[in-house]
Amino acid sequence: MVRSIDQQDRRRVLITPVPEGIARVTAAWDELGQSWRALLDDHTEDEIDVITRHTRGAHHLSHARMRRLRTRPKPG
């Protein structure tokens, strides 16, 4: 990554990705994706449907909880 001063607001630093960094991040996520595919290869379509439904439900539940927590008054 390359850091540079924001010309509009000199208090800020802008971060720009460089190709080498992007390649490293991409490789890490590609490896994770391959691992997930290998894990899911052992499941039937019906099982994957259940896993997908559960994951989506957990995602929505977590986001609803975060929204609720953000609306609470801050302590102190």
Side-chain angles (χ1 to χ4, degrees), residues 13-32:
V13 174
L14 302 175
I15 307 296
T16 305
V18 295
E20 303 83 39
I22 293 170
R24 281 198 327 264
V25 170
T26 299
W29 282 103
D30 284 348
E31 184 179 326
L32 179 61

Side-chain angles (χ1 to χ4, degrees), residues 1-70:
M1 77 182 112
V2 174
R3 290 179 175 89
S4 58
I5 300 294
D6 183 342
Q7 297 303 316
Q8 309 267 326
D9 181 348
R10 298 195 56 81
R11 297 170 296 178
R12 291 178 39 181
V13 174
L14 302 175
I15 307 296
T16 305
V18 295
E20 303 83 39
I22 293 170
R24 281 198 327 264
V25 170
T26 299
W29 282 103
D30 284 348
E31 184 179 326
L32 179 61
Q34 290 169 1
S35 298
W36 274 107
R37 276 189 293 284
L39 178 66
L40 293 172
D41 280 345
D42 290 337
H43 294 287
T44 66
E45 286 298 318
D46 287 341
E47 291 170 329
I48 290 175
D49 288 344
V50 170
I51 293 167
T52 301
R53 193 170 63 248
H54 172 80
T55 302
R56 284 185 178 144
H59 171 84
H60 293 304
L61 179 67
S62 297
H63 281 266
R65 181 66 179 159
M66 286 187 285
R67 283 190 301 275
R68 183 170 169 231
L69 289 171
R70 286 183 183 130

